[in-house]
Amino acid sequence: QKEVEQDPGPLSVPEGAIVSLNCTYSNSAFQYFMWYRQYSRKGPELLMYTYSSGNKEDGRFTAQVDKSSKYISLFIRDSQPSDSATYLCAMSLISSGSARQLTFGSGTQLTVLP
Amino acid sequence: DADVTQTPRNRITKTGKRIMLECSQTKGHDRMYWYRQDPGLGLQLIYYSFDVKDINKGEISDGYSVSRQAQAKFSLSLESAIPNQTALYFCATSDARTGTDTQYFGPGTRLTVL
């Protein structure tokens, strides 16, 4: 079993739809949670970062973390064609004095149709 | 100019050849990473470096080696390339001073081993 599971999709939605992207994880020691967006032929770029349970909002994007269920989500409101990309969840452990190695999900490919 | 650059962007090589992928950054970050990305597997860490004198193996380091020539330069070598090393390779950087270790990715190198 992978430490981080992510539905690979592909997911196709009409413009304006609400999109829900999800990851589950097995290691309860993960404390930091990130969402990266990767456009075709580009490197991943950080979209959102959180380290606590609950919701964090940034414009049309909301990141949700439920540590008791080991489940994280990214919601995209009023989705746009420019949101079409692969979305990767990533998480890391608390560590003192050393780089936090990221464990990535396999990514969900999203297409928003005009 | 891009903050994290990778050369070459595309490379086709033959089994048994030695190949080097290079990464340079102008972000002033102390930490650098090499990942590979395969379809359906997400990003897997090959090696990471906290500073010029520090090199650490990641989860899939076999068949790879690295060199941190300067704070801004981190190269990845395949001593004897094999076809299952065909993948997309990403370099990333992070800044320990921020406390979050958010990683910033380069544009990637697409490597094909025939």
Side-chain angles (χ1 to χ4, degrees):
Chain A
Q1 182 189 6
K2 292 181 182 178
E3 277 194 299
V4 178
E5 298 278 359
Q6 184 174 6
D7 185 349
L11 183 61
S12 183
V13 301
E15 183 175 354
I18 296 174
V19 176
S20 172
L21 305 168
N22 310 297
C23 288
T24 58
Y25 61 95
S26 57
N27 189 344
S28 59
F30 285 134
Q31 296 290 337
Y32 297 87
F33 305 93
M34 288 139 278
W35 285 95
Y36 281 82
R37 177 175 61 194
Q38 184 177 17
Y39 290 115
S40 181
R41 301 183 184 280
K42 302 285 187 181
E45 57 177 337
L46 183 68
L47 199 56
M48 295 192 73
Y49 173 100
T50 184
Y51 57 87
S52 59
S53 284
N55 294 350
K56 181 178 181 179
E57 194 172 313
D58 184 1
R60 295 185 295 110
F61 298 90
T62 300
Q64 185 178 80
V65 175
D66 182 346
K67 290 185 180 178
S68 62
S69 301
K70 300 192 189 68
Y71 189 90
I72 69 170
S73 298
L74 178 71
F75 297 97
I76 306 175
R77 291 187 301 279
D78 188 25
S79 57
Q80 302 295 309
S82 59
D83 295 327
S84 298
T86 297
Y87 290 81
L88 299 152
C89 64
M91 44 199 79
S92 66
L93 308 170
I94 287 180
S95 63
S96 58
S98 63
R100 299 192 185 99
Q101 295 186 43
L102 296 181
T103 301
F104 285 86
S106 56
T108 299
Q109 185 180 344
L110 171 68
T111 300
V112 180
L113 302 171
Chain B
D1 288 341
D3 292 329
V4 183
T5 57
Q6 293 183 234
T7 55
R9 293 294 313 278
N10 290 281
R11 180 73 182 268
I12 300 174
T13 191
K14 294 182 179 179
T15 297
K17 294 291 187 181
R18 184 178 187 277
I19 180 169
M20 179 181 288
L21 309 183
E22 298 185 339
C23 177
S24 295
Q25 53 115 346
T26 58
K27 300 181 79 67
H29 289 173
D30 51 343
R31 296 175 173 177
M32 298 186 74
Y33 311 78
W34 275 105
Y35 289 90
R36 67 176 278 173
Q37 186 176 40
D38 299 276
L41 293 180
L43 287 156
Q44 296 174 280
L45 184 63
I46 306 172
Y47 271 95
Y48 63 100
S49 169
F50 291 2
D51 60 38
V52 174
K53 297 180 181 179
D54 178 86
I55 301 290
N56 303 280
K57 293 182 178 181
E59 55 187 312
I60 56 162
S61 59
D62 287 348
Y64 302 94
S65 63
V66 292
S67 174
R68 185 83 182 266
Q69 301 94 325
Q71 187 190 34
K73 296 184 182 296
F74 192 35
S75 60
L76 176 72
S77 294
L78 288 67
E79 296 300 325
S80 180
I82 55 177
N84 75 1
Q85 291 177 314
T86 294
L88 196 52
Y89 289 84
F90 288 102
C91 174
T93 72
S94 70
D95 185 348
R97 295 169 297 178
T98 65
T100 63
D101 257 340
T102 300
Q103 295 185 21
Y104 297 87
F105 287 81
T109 294
R110 185 170 297 278
L111 175 66
T112 302
V113 183
L114 301 175

